[in-house]
Amino acid sequence: MIKKASLLTALSVTAFSGWAQDSGSDNLVVTANRFQQPVNTVLAPTEVVTREDIDRWGARTLTDVMRRLPGVDVAENGGMGQTSYIYIRGAEARHTLVLIDGIPLAKSGITGIADFSQIPVSLIERIEMIRGPRSAVYGADAIGGVINIITQNDTPGGKVEAGIGSNHYQKYDATVRQKLGEDTLATVAGSFTDTRGYNIRPQSTYSVDSDRDGFRNKTFWAGLNHQFNQEISGFVRGYGYSNKTGYDAGYTDGGDERQVYNHTYETGLTYSGDVFSSQLTGSYQRYKDYNYAGPLGLYNEGTSLDDMTQRNLQWGNSLALGAGTVSAGIDWQQQKLTSADNDYSNKYKRNNTGYYLTTQQKLDTVTLEGSVRGDDNDQFGWNGTWQAAAGWEFVPDYRFTVSYGTGFQAPTLGQLYGQERLFILSNPDLSAEKSRQVEVGLEGLTGPVNWRLSAYQNKIKNLIDYYYDDDTFLGTYYNIQSATIKGVELTGSFDTGVVSHRITLGYLDPRRDSDNEVLAHRSRQQFKYQLDWTMFGLDMDAAWQYFGKSYDNNTNQFADTQRRMPSYSLVDLSASYPVTSNLTVRGKIANLFDKDYETVYGYHTAGREYTLSGSYTF
């Protein structure tokens, strides 16, 4: 199916043509303001990763992809499939909103952190990342930024891929997109990934922890897109994955196996007129997360289960108005969670309705952007957020930007109402975390170099922390912290002959207000340098990433001092060669110099790894 490009999109591209040198589909984004616009017109720092980028980089996991992007820190409890955390611009890992096809990802745990390690990279066709607050557009969680993972591809064709690698890694992937008549596109995709892994905690004194900690994933995706007429189209799709991960319990008969099942179903209708478009979508997610002791089995003593369902209904509307676009809509979400083990079971439910209005207008050399949103949650009340930004193209190809935005993070159901199996008491007075960020930026095209310099400050209050009572052996979550995060970020890209360069420099100062202590798992300095070139048909990619010193923890009732984590550098090298017009062979060496480093204390990383794959397109 080839979708008709509406006049609404054309008007948006034309209105901002001064900053849209290339208005192809790869340079149009929807995540920033919930209407389609050229990426160069977005006033917030924005990154776009395509499927071609993922293949060129040889990325096996979502964290492999995210680690390359500006302002991103990654902390992982070991290798593939292990729990991982993404920190954007120094905000907490739970302060990143993760969307899949524009719909919030269900998060079953008590921490409220999206588990990136469980999202199969085979699902991903495109990633759009916005750095900075976006609660005024999306509601809760979007304090540090938004990551939108897009799974849909409208180009007919097919692909079969197989790969092998270190630690007995193997991957098999197949996708078929077939037109059924003139107006219907059917897609079926599936993948299988398996690795025996390695021992992520070899220093453990427990014999049960001496095994390899492997990972296995099975993924299936299917969908139909249909164009009813020139203005109306619809879709229905579903995907699911099952993951099995081995980890180290740290004690005898403790949980050392994790089994995750995700099933998601979505449907929607879209109207695209000359100056107005509207979309209504509905989705259902079921997320089951088992943790159990491998020697005892899944359905025996010691097994815990977080069983979550999430329903979303979204109605969004966009109107070409003046020299820009206005978007407004309603988001409704219902979450149900059952958290249980052999002895305890807790059930939770809550509803949230959000109302938003966004706009962007270009007035001569000035671009104005604004958003307001209200969220009505039946558990912790009303939260209003807003943001505003302005960009001034003071000379051709040079723009000054300034923005201010508020954000909030909702407490999780377990934090509000306790969790008996974890001996956590309820705290119905728990408030949402709230943030205020201001940012100034300067960007331009100087000779061949496209660059952007940003400086920002994010103040977060009501930070949720955990307290454990040694006398009662019970814990509770409280609003007892606040933090101030300051940062400077420089990104640049340019070409020299056949070589493309991408550079990121970042400095971060994230501190807890109560004692000026640096927040954990944030590198104070980041340097990232990526080279891509094609010569004699060989497509090459080299990436160098430096992460400065950080801390593994913050002081609390369990730790009197901070544990310093050393800086580290990584070099990845990948190459691909088209044997024929349909057959491509790819290879990668990750951590080329076999750097020994950790991002979470006590959890070893994989060292040097090799992968080799071949793909056939048709």
Side-chain angles (χ1 to χ4, degrees):
M1 177 182 63
I2 301 175
K3 290 187 176 179
K4 175 178 71 69
S6 69
L7 181 59
L8 178 66
T9 301
L11 287 173
S12 178
V13 172
T14 302
F16 299 101
S17 59
W19 281 90
Q21 292 88 358
D22 183 352
S23 58
S25 61
D26 283 347
N27 291 287
L28 295 175
V29 296
V30 296
T31 307
N33 295 297
R34 298 180 76 155
F35 54 77
Q36 197 172 55
Q37 63 184 112
V39 65
N40 288 333
T41 69
V42 179
L43 298 183
T46 304
E47 303 298 321
V48 176
V49 179
T50 65
R51 182 72 230 183
E52 290 74 18
D53 293 327
I54 294 171
D55 290 338
R56 185 186 310 113
W57 300 344
R60 299 192 306 172
T61 66
L62 181 55
T63 51
D64 287 344
V65 177
M66 298 307 302
R67 186 182 282 111
R68 287 182 174 238
L69 303 185
V72 174
D73 268 302
V74 175
E76 291 183 281
N77 291 354
M80 193 172 186
Q82 303 299 326
T83 302
S84 59
Y85 309 93
I86 301 291
Y87 301 87
I88 297 180
R89 284 188 163 185
E92 297 288 344
R94 62 182 179 273
H95 293 162
T96 296
L97 175 64
V98 180
L99 309 172
I100 298 184
D101 296 318
I103 297 170
L105 175 69
K107 299 180 294 185
S108 62
I110 196 169
T111 62
I113 298 173
D115 193 347
F116 286 79
S117 67
Q118 300 300 308
I119 301 174
V121 74
S122 59
L123 276 178
I124 303 171
E125 292 292 334
R126 178 183 174 90
I127 298 172
E128 296 178 4
M129 183 182 82
I130 310 295
R131 299 192 299 283
R134 229 64 188 168
S135 284
V137 180
Y138 291 101
D141 303 354
I143 288 178
V146 177
I147 298 170
N148 190 9
I149 299 166
I150 297 168
T151 68
Q152 178 65 35
N153 187 325
D154 294 334
T155 304
K159 179 180 177 182
V160 178
E161 183 176 5
I164 58 174
S166 305
N167 296 317
H168 298 271
Y169 170 81
Q170 56 180 318
K171 176 185 177 181
Y172 308 95
D173 196 349
T175 303
V176 177
R177 289 184 293 273
Q178 179 66 46
K179 292 193 69 173
L180 306 177
E182 289 295 321
D183 300 318
T184 303
L185 179 71
T187 304
V188 177
S191 71
F192 173 81
T193 302
D194 182 77
T195 176
R196 289 173 62 183
Y198 61 93
N199 188 2
I200 61 174
R201 298 186 68 190
Q203 77 282 5
S204 175
T205 59
Y206 293 92
S207 60
V208 293
D209 290 344
S210 61
D211 60 340
R212 288 174 175 260
D213 299 297
F215 174 72
R216 174 174 292 182
N217 161 263
K218 301 175 184 177
T219 301
F220 182 79
W221 196 104
L224 285 173
N225 284 45
H226 183 74
Q227 192 80 37
F228 294 100
N229 54 42
Q230 289 293 305
E231 289 81 26
I232 299 175
S233 63
F235 71 87
V236 58
R237 58 178 172 247
Y239 63 85
Y241 54 84
S242 65
N243 298 341
K244 184 177 181 180
T245 308
Y247 60 95
D248 287 341
Y251 57 96
T252 302
D253 289 339
D256 63 352
E257 297 282 350
R258 183 183 185 191
Q259 189 81 45
V260 170
Y261 299 94
N262 180 296
H263 299 283
T264 300
Y265 307 95
E266 303 170 357
T267 187
L269 284 173
T270 301
Y271 171 84
S272 296
D274 289 341
V275 296
F276 174 74
S277 68
S278 181
Q279 184 176 62
L280 178 66
T281 62
S283 72
Y284 171 85
Q285 298 180 60
R286 179 79 180 274
Y287 194 92
K288 299 175 73 173
D289 189 349
Y290 291 92
N291 284 268
Y292 62 98
L296 301 179
L298 178 60
Y299 300 107
N300 290 300
E301 187 72 24
T303 296
S304 66
L305 169 64
D306 280 345
D307 187 354
M308 186 171 192
T309 60
Q310 181 171 288
R311 294 173 173 84
N312 287 82
L313 189 63
Q314 299 179 338
W315 181 38
N317 306 274
S318 297
L319 175 68
L321 184 65
T325 305
V326 175
S327 178
I330 300 174
D331 299 329
W332 176 83
Q333 181 183 90
Q334 182 185 81
Q335 295 175 321
K336 293 182 179 180
L337 172 64
T338 299
S339 182
D341 60 12
N342 297 97
D343 300 313
Y344 303 101
S345 179
N346 295 110
K347 294 185 177 181
Y348 316 92
K349 175 185 174 181
R350 72 178 174 195
N351 299 311
N352 188 91
T353 304
Y355 312 88
Y356 68 88
L357 175 67
T358 75
T359 186
Q360 192 179 69
Q361 297 287 320
K362 192 172 192 304
L363 308 175
D364 194 20
T365 59
V366 175
T367 301
L368 300 176
E369 179 182 286
S371 305
V372 293
R373 180 178 171 112
D375 282 271
D376 186 14
N377 190 289
D378 62 1
Q379 302 298 331
F380 57 89
W382 177 269
N383 272 282
T385 49
W386 65 277
Q387 65 187 59
W392 174 37
E393 189 178 356
F394 53 94
V395 295
D397 295 329
Y398 290 85
R399 182 170 68 178
F400 172 77
T401 60
V402 60
S403 66
Y404 180 90
T406 64
F408 80 98
Q409 165 75 30
T412 67
L413 293 166
Q415 290 170 344
L416 274 171
Y417 296 112
Q419 211 158 10
E420 287 183 281
R421 69 178 181 85
L422 298 177
F423 303 101
I424 295 174
L425 297 173
S426 66
N427 183 3
D429 296 326
L430 202 61
S431 300
E433 300 173 314
K434 296 187 176 182
S435 73
R436 294 176 286 116
Q437 178 176 298
V438 61
E439 179 175 347
V440 293
L442 184 64
E443 57 187 302
L445 183 62
T446 305
V449 182
N450 193 339
W451 57 272
R452 180 182 182 117
L453 176 65
S454 302
Y456 56 90
Q457 177 177 283
N458 196 357
K459 297 186 71 68
I460 308 172
K461 66 178 183 179
N462 293 339
L463 277 172
I464 295 173
D465 208 342
Y466 175 78
Y467 176 78
Y468 178 76
D469 192 319
D470 292 317
D471 295 326
T472 63
F473 307 109
L474 298 173
T476 313
Y477 284 89
Y478 291 94
N479 297 107
I480 57 174
Q481 296 289 349
S482 63
T484 300
I485 302 168
K486 301 176 182 178
V488 179
E489 195 174 80
L490 175 64
T491 61
S493 60
F494 59 95
D495 295 336
T496 55
V498 297
V499 181
S500 296
H501 308 254
R502 169 131 187 141
I503 300 173
T504 297
L505 305 176
Y507 173 77
L508 189 67
D509 186 24
R511 295 184 180 272
R512 195 164 65 181
D513 290 341
S514 60
D515 53 11
N516 211 36
E517 187 173 281
V518 176
L519 299 179
H521 297 301
R522 280 76 151 183
S523 300
R524 300 291 297 277
Q525 299 89 21
Q526 284 189 16
F527 306 122
K528 302 178 183 181
Y529 185 26
Q530 178 179 315
L531 292 172
D532 295 290
W533 71 95
T534 301
M535 188 175 297
F536 307 115
L538 190 65
D539 191 6
M540 300 287 294
D541 172 84
W544 173 66
Q545 302 163 27
Y546 169 82
F547 294 89
K549 295 178 181 179
S550 63
Y551 292 96
D552 185 64
N553 66 296
N554 283 105
T555 57
N556 52 37
Q557 67 179 118
F558 308 106
D560 295 329
T561 59
Q562 285 188 287
R563 183 184 296 275
R564 182 180 288 274
M565 302 292 286
S567 61
Y568 63 95
S569 295
L570 299 176
V571 176
D572 295 342
L573 185 64
S574 59
S576 64
Y577 182 76
V579 179
T580 69
S581 59
N582 301 101
L583 177 62
T584 301
V585 176
R586 295 183 174 89
K588 179 179 180 179
I589 306 175
N591 193 0
L592 179 64
F593 299 111
D594 199 21
K595 176 69 176 180
D596 184 15
Y597 71 100
E598 294 178 355
T599 57
V600 176
Y601 178 74
Y603 289 88
H604 283 208
T605 47
R608 185 188 296 117
E609 291 186 295
Y610 306 89
T611 53
L612 179 66
S613 66
S615 63
Y616 184 84
T617 58
F618 54 91

